Structure formats: C-alpha cells, structure tokens
Amino acid sequence: MVTQIRIITILFSLIMLSFFGLGSYYMFFENIATEINVVSMVGIAVSVLFVAGVFSVYWFTLIIIIHDDLNKILFIYPFRMKRKTYQFEDIIGFRFKYLNAKINYKSIQLKAKSGEKFLLSDFETANLRIFEASCFKHFELRADKSFRKLTREEHEAEIFASKVFDYEQAKDIKFHLIASILFLIVIGGVSLNEIISNTNNFSRFLLTVFLLCILLVVLIARKLVKVNKEIRRLSLIVA
C-alpha cells in the first residue's frame, strides 16, 4: 500500500505561494529603499509567510509505503531525499488528529518506539482512508499526544468520532462542490451569451472558457456523486 500525494494540491499551493512571494517583493523590497511604512511591513509579513509555506511543502511532504508481506513500513520525504524503514513491531501505534480550516481535514499520526512521529493529512494525501484501513490492520489505535492506550470503550468512541468527522467533512465538501458548479454555470452562461451576441472580439477566448466550464462541471459532478454515496454510507453509521 502506497500513499498518494495530491499533486494538484501541492502545485496549487506553490503557485499561490509564488503569487504572494512576488507581491511581497514589490511591497517590501521596492519600497524599503525609500522608507519603512505600512506597505513595507505588510511585505515583510507576507515574505515570512511565503518562506514558511515553501519550507512546509519541502519539509513535511511525506509518502508512506506499507509492505504487508515483509511486515515493514517505509517513510519517505521526497523533497528532503530522506527515508526511514521500521518493522511493524517498532511502531507504537497511530492516532487521529483533526485540523480546522475552510474545510476541516483529518490527519493520522504514527509514532515509532524511537520517539519519531510521522503525520499525514487528507489535505495532501489522496488515499488517506485506505491508509487508515491499513493502520487499523497492522497497528494499535492510540490517543492524545502521549499515544496512551485506550480502553475498549475509548477505542469505540475514537472510531465513532472519526466516522462523525468523515460524515461532517463529506457534507462540507458537498456544499463546496455544489457552490463550484453553480459558479461555473454562471461563468459559462455569461461566456455563451457573449459569444451569441457577438459584442466583443474575444469569441475564441470565451469559447475556450465556456468549454472549460463544461469540462469542470462534469468532473465536479462526478466527484459530487461519489461524495453523496459516501454521505449516505456514513449516515447509517453515525445516525
């Protein structure tokens, strides 16, 4: 089993970070020669965020490979060219962590007997739920920063809380997918209206926009169908 990085997420993050980096260059470095003012201070703050963001992508991007036949788990940091291999018995266990953002994210943290911890979230990992199933198969579910052992009741409560989170997250994703479809329909409709009315000289560009909107609506609609199935499945568990 190999965890899959959301390449689009990382590329989008790098593009946004680059955008902010260029903005901070203009605000700070182009103004610092004359005076320190509010704009320059904002530029400094954005520059720090830019550097921190790029560093986070470099430092924390992680791929995990579970070798069921060899009873081994491999942790790979591709950008750092670093890897570590553990036997299953060298892993104390795993725990759930939940990250609050515009859409909340679930993460899974594993701890080795050496004390080293490894963290994956479904923000950058496409198949986190498959990885979660592998963790339940091979490792012990723990809780809190100390990775303390759980009683039977606590174990069941942790699993139920995880399913409740999955259910609420799926509903949030559904809302954003529907909002995206409506937004694309509006943009596509405006583009089509402009093409039909021939009020400008950008008909090729608008046609491209219109076709792109159609493609994105189809792709998002397919994702929405899968999310709806997941919501129905989870609703039977958390009801």
Side-chain angles (χ1 to χ4, degrees):
M1 183 269 158
V2 182
T3 58
Q4 299 171 359
I5 297 176
R6 295 185 191 272
I7 300 297
I8 294 179
T9 299
I10 291 181
L11 289 177
F12 178 77
S13 299
L14 290 174
I15 290 171
M16 292 301 296
L17 288 169
S18 299
F19 173 78
F20 283 114
L22 291 174
S24 66
Y25 174 83
Y26 175 78
M27 286 188 294
F28 176 58
F29 294 104
E30 294 293 333
N31 289 279
I32 194 66
T34 56
E35 60 179 329
I36 296 294
N37 52 31
V38 175
V39 174
S40 297
M41 296 306 295
V42 171
I44 294 174
V46 175
S47 297
V48 172
L49 292 175
F50 168 70
V51 173
V54 173
F55 178 79
S56 296
V57 172
Y58 163 78
W59 192 261
F60 294 110
T61 299
L62 173 65
I63 297 173
I64 297 179
I65 302 176
I66 294 179
H67 294 286
D68 297 271
D69 54 337
L70 300 175
N71 291 328
K72 290 183 179 181
I73 181 169
L74 178 63
F75 301 93
I76 303 173
Y77 292 93
F79 298 131
R80 287 196 273 161
M81 304 296 290
K82 177 182 177 182
R83 61 173 58 199
K84 288 201 171 184
T85 303
Y86 290 95
Q87 296 291 331
F88 286 164
E89 58 266 25
D90 293 326
I91 301 297
I92 292 175
F94 72 99
R95 71 180 182 114
F96 293 117
K97 294 180 66 178
Y98 304 103
L99 312 174
N100 295 320
K102 189 172 183 180
I103 294 179
N104 294 331
Y105 294 97
K106 173 192 274 188
S107 60
I108 294 175
Q109 187 176 48
L110 296 97
K111 183 178 181 180
K113 291 180 180 178
S114 63
E116 193 163 8
K117 298 177 181 178
F118 305 90
L119 183 69
L120 279 182
S121 80
D122 54 9
F123 174 76
E124 78 281 354
T125 305
N127 58 343
L128 188 79
R129 298 308 186 277
I130 298 176
F131 175 68
E132 178 182 328
S134 293
C135 286
F136 274 112
K137 179 180 178 181
H138 298 295
F139 311 118
E140 183 180 357
L141 177 62
R142 298 293 186 98
D144 304 330
K145 293 181 178 180
S146 61
F147 281 76
R148 65 178 178 83
K149 284 182 172 291
L150 300 173
T151 64
R152 181 177 179 181
E153 292 76 15
E154 289 175 329
H155 186 274
E156 293 177 354
E158 283 289 324
I159 294 176
F160 183 74
S162 172
K163 297 302 181 184
V164 170
F165 178 89
D166 291 345
Y167 177 66
E168 295 298 329
Q169 184 193 51
K171 290 197 299 183
D172 287 342
I173 292 174
K174 177 181 178 179
F175 172 80
H176 286 88
L177 290 176
I178 293 175
S180 298
I181 289 175
L182 293 176
F183 174 76
L184 290 168
I185 289 175
V186 171
I187 297 299
V190 171
S191 300
L192 181 61
N193 182 67
E194 291 294 326
I195 293 171
I196 294 174
S197 59
N198 271 327
T199 57
N200 55 62
N201 296 321
F202 297 101
S203 54
R204 285 188 179 179
F205 170 75
L206 292 173
L207 179 59
T208 302
V209 172
F210 174 70
L211 294 176
L212 182 60
C213 287
I214 292 177
L215 175 61
L216 291 175
V217 166
V218 171
L219 293 176
I220 295 174
R222 291 178 61 184
K223 174 69 174 178
L224 184 59
V225 170
K226 294 180 181 179
V227 171
N228 276 327
K229 289 181 179 178
E230 184 69 5
I231 290 174
R232 287 195 295 269
R233 184 185 70 83
L234 291 170
S235 65
L236 299 176
I237 299 174
V238 303

